[in-house]
Amino acid sequence: MFRWRPKHEPVWDPAVAEVEALLDAAARRHPAGEWEGRARHALSICACISLECASTWIIVDTEDGVGWRRVPHGAPADKQQLAPFDAGGHADPADVLAWLRGAAPDPWGSFGSGSGHPEVVEALQRWFVAD
């Protein structure tokens, strides 16, 4: 018998909401302002090392502060260079959360991988753990 499959929303890893809450809080405390063309560091994190639906975050900083955005699920991440120093990679959301809290030196964890300018991860992390 033929029947329609029920539609369902993507299931997000529970750490995704916590990561985005920390990103929002830091951006409110230290707003980057309009960062297009002013970003110093840019980090692209594909949170695909998860059993759930993956997010991709782009995190940047300027002289003034930090900003971020989520790349919509299924959309390609920005391929243009957003800042003079950039890095990116694949991570588990729980590892990104540990990095934002200052409990890990990078967001890649033991299963992820990252590449790019090594100072980007450290420069951006300071916006989250400094307060």
Side-chain angles (χ1 to χ4, degrees):
M1 167 181 239
F2 173 80
R3 87 175 103 141
W4 294 102
R5 285 188 293 165
K7 292 182 180 180
H8 64 279
E9 293 295 314
V11 177
W12 296 97
D13 184 302
V16 168
E18 293 181 66
V19 165
E20 292 185 355
L22 288 176
L23 294 171
D24 282 340
R28 277 193 305 277
R29 283 190 311 274
H30 310 285
E34 179 57 46
W35 52 268
E36 300 280 340
R38 297 180 50 236
R40 297 183 304 171
H41 303 95
L43 179 63
S44 176
I45 302 173
C46 176
C48 59
I49 301 181
S50 171
L51 298 176
E52 311 295 337
C53 190
S55 293
T56 298
W57 299 292
I58 296 181
I59 307 167
V60 299
D61 73 346
T62 65
E63 292 284 332
D64 307 315
V66 65
W68 76 280
R69 70 175 175 231
R70 183 196 302 167
V71 177
H73 181 67
D78 292 350
K79 295 299 180 195
Q80 67 186 20
Q81 185 170 353
L82 299 174
F85 300 99
D86 62 2
H90 305 277
D92 186 299
D95 292 329
V96 177
L97 188 58
W99 170 69
L100 291 172
R101 290 178 172 161
D106 60 50
W108 317 128
S110 56
F111 298 109
S113 64
S115 63
H117 295 94
E119 66 271 16
V120 171
V121 170
E122 183 178 317
L124 289 171
Q125 186 184 42
R126 74 182 175 89
W127 293 106
F128 302 97
V129 298
D131 294 333

